[in-house]
Amino acid sequence: MPIISAFAPILVLVFATGDYAGAASVVGLLSLAAASLGAYYVVAIGTNLAQRTGPLAWTTFVAPALNVALNALLIPVWGMVGAGLASLAANLASTSLVYMVSQRLYPLPFQPLRILAIWLSGSLCVAFAGVFNAVARPSAWISFLLAAILLTLYTLSLFASRTITISEVRLGMQRIRGVNR
């Protein structure tokens, strides 16, 4: 997410014309919204294991209703950034609701505080990249530098908060090496 946000001005110019350069301001929000949507499928595993997906039906209506309401409120004020915020809020609401329902039906050992730390660290990087890109309109090499700095800060913040530890990285590397043999 932080890398995509930092590279947003370049990505928009690669895949579109200069007329769409302003779209870079919402790439970070939409990447967070997409990550939240991906998390939906992970947290819904409990309901699938319990074979009781019926209780999720009402959550399917909450997210679109919230999205429409927030779009009506935010787009007149903030334009496409308002639309990005509405998408993010709707996806976060949907994922949160499904998490709560799923944990009641079939509790799984998720670590919500670690997930929150990862999410907040990434969101801060995305927010910084979005503001920086909107204000500074950086060149390509500045975008590369910003991406490297944000990736480093994101990684360091995860280690500093003990969200990820060196021993977990070692264990992951051992498992990867074991798979490749």
Side-chain angles (χ1 to χ4, degrees):
M1 295 176 301
I3 293 176
I4 291 173
S5 297
F7 282 124
I10 296 169
L11 293 171
V12 170
L13 291 177
V14 166
F15 293 107
T17 64
D19 296 337
Y20 295 94
S25 64
V26 293
V27 169
L29 289 171
L30 295 177
S31 69
L32 288 172
S36 180
L37 183 60
Y40 172 97
Y41 296 103
V42 173
V43 300
I45 290 172
T47 55
N48 292 320
L49 290 172
Q51 296 181 356
R52 293 191 53 213
T53 56
L56 293 182
W58 67 273
T59 68
T60 307
F61 296 105
V62 171
L66 180 62
N67 197 343
V68 169
L70 289 175
N71 274 319
L73 290 171
L74 299 176
I75 289 175
V77 179
W78 290 330
M80 73 176 130
V81 173
L85 286 169
S87 295
L88 174 57
N91 286 355
L92 280 173
S94 178
T95 300
S96 299
L97 292 171
V98 169
Y99 173 79
M100 290 186 290
V101 170
S102 189
Q103 286 298 91
R104 284 192 191 121
L105 296 174
Y106 196 101
L108 291 171
F110 291 116
Q111 298 175 352
L113 292 179
R114 288 179 99 180
I115 294 168
L116 185 62
I118 292 167
W119 185 262
L120 290 176
S121 296
S123 296
L124 285 173
C125 290
V126 167
F128 179 81
V131 170
F132 181 81
N133 288 335
V135 172
R137 306 269 184 209
S139 63
W141 74 271
I142 295 290
S143 290
F144 282 109
L145 182 61
L146 178 63
I149 290 169
L150 288 177
L151 180 59
T152 302
L153 290 174
Y154 179 64
T155 303
L156 290 174
S157 72
L158 295 179
F159 281 108
S161 65
R162 301 201 38 81
T163 303
I164 298 175
T165 64
I166 296 293
S167 61
E168 290 171 330
V169 172
R170 283 190 194 121
L171 179 62
M173 295 301 289
Q174 288 171 352
R175 290 189 177 168
I176 289 170
R177 281 188 224 119
V179 169
N180 291 330
R181 290 182 187 195

